[in-house]
Amino acid sequence: MIHLNGRFMPLEEATIPVLDRGFIFGDGVYEVIPVYSRRPFRLAEHLRRLQNSLDAISLKNPHTDAEWGALIEELIACNEGADQYLYLHITRGVAKRDHAFPKVVTPTVFMMSSPLLPPAAELKSSGVAAITTIDNRWLRCDIKSISLLPNVLLRQSAVEAGTMEAVLLREGFMTEGAASNIFVVQNGVVLAPPKNHLMLPGITYDLVLELAQAEGIPTQVGPVPEAALRSANELWLTSSTREVLPITVLDGQPVGKGQPGPLFKRMDALYQNYKATVMRQAD
Ligand code: PDD
């Protein structure tokens, strides 16, 4: 079951007009929210980022947080599976094709749920491979925009190279992955690029930094030069659907010892423990 503009219906019944500005211009924003044990994870943070994305494209939020909360609850209830991931998509709506904003228009709101499978144990025990590519996206990567063509092409280049992710480099610095944030571990310090217009402020990124800081694991948020990436002891990728994964091969070369490192194992344990605690508290 999906939600479209105020109604719940089977996916097969959902249609949108071809003049929707999401279809014509990619004029919209989205969110991806994990659900564990039928409860949304870090919902307030996701709704805050959604608001920031909407503000950045001057689109009025069609719902209050309380309304989003109720819609999300209903979406979870009418889909199977304890763990789901929710996709929320808001476009500027249907209007005659003209680049400038229409004067009067109703946003299109679409929500769907998909099964959320935890990353395979194999990915955590062996790690994943990635390539580096030039970050050729625009300068508002902080907006969770549905215009994802550059990310699609970058991710496809990673897949065609037989790897899981493309780690992006802009002017000698690492920004993020094509669909994830990236952390570099060097000499026991977790390095993270700063949240600015060059990367998406990941909800998992924030959580990983929070967990590291609470555990006394040294962190350093600041520009991450390509050289730090190339000489990393460990590399991690994070996203709401993939949690924290170790990158053990970069551009065909082993990262550190070519195995998931000790800090990854600690972080993964902290992350799993945090998830379990949050879920218990909600009971
Ligand atoms: N993508 N950076 C980019 C470009 C992303 O697309 C994502 C996530 C992230 C990680 O953000 P978070 O931790 O909040 O999931 C960073 C989602 C999962 C997607 O597009 O499916």
Side-chain angles (χ1 to χ4, degrees), residues 116-130:
L116 177 61
L117 304 172
E122 159 78 11
L123 298 182
K124 284 192 196 174
S125 59
S126 309
V128 302

Side-chain angles (χ1 to χ4, degrees), residues 1 14 39 61 72 78 102 112 130 175 268:
M1 294 292 281
R39 291 187 195 92
N61 195 333
I72 284 168
C78 64
M112 67 176 170
T175 52
D268 185 44

Side-chain angles (χ1 to χ4, degrees), residues 31 42 45-46 49 181 201-208 240:
E31 265 304 319
R42 298 224 134 189
E45 288 82 351
H46 281 280
R49 184 172 65 185
N181 290 113
I203 305 301
T204 324
Y205 164 103
D206 278 344
L207 179 54
V208 162
S240 290

